[in-house]
Amino acid sequence: MNNDGDRLHFQANINALHKWSSKWKMPFNTDKCEVITFSKGPTAAPQCSLGNSPLECVDQITYLNIEMQSN
């Protein structure tokens, strides 16, 4: 994220997803949700939340058996 505006925009999108999932009674499992930032250089991961649950910031994830790293 380049600036606070980017972080706020990202959080607004997460809020919209949370609102939709609550409306349709399809809640996200926040224990399985994480935030990863991809960049060529070091960056601070944004502090985001889904509803009232803070999301964990990670440096690597595995998705569909593919390992991805933040760098």
Side-chain angles (χ1 to χ4, degrees), residues 10-35:
F10 184 60
Q11 183 62 56
N13 286 321
I14 294 172
N15 293 345
L17 286 170
H18 182 260
K19 183 178 177 181
W20 178 90
S21 72
S22 295
K23 176 183 177 181
W24 294 103
K25 299 182 182 1
M26 297 176 62
F28 287 96
N29 182 346
T30 54
D31 292 335
K32 294 183 177 183
C33 296
E34 301 170 325
V35 175

Side-chain angles (χ1 to χ4, degrees), residues 6-69:
D6 289 345
R7 188 192 64 75
L8 292 173
H9 185 70
F10 184 60
Q11 183 62 56
N13 286 321
I14 294 172
N15 293 345
L17 286 170
H18 182 260
K19 183 178 177 181
W20 178 90
S21 72
S22 295
K23 176 183 177 181
W24 294 103
K25 299 182 182 1
M26 297 176 62
F28 287 96
N29 182 346
T30 54
D31 292 335
K32 294 183 177 183
C33 296
E34 301 170 325
V35 175
I36 186 168
T37 303
F38 297 101
S39 73
K40 292 181 181 180
T43 60
Q47 293 297 323
C48 300
S49 61
L50 182 60
N52 293 326
S53 301
L55 298 176
E56 180 183 3
C57 298
V58 297
D59 291 326
Q60 68 179 36
I61 59 169
T62 302
Y63 181 71
L64 297 176
N65 212 24
I66 298 171
E67 187 175 301
M68 295 178 273
Q69 298 177 341

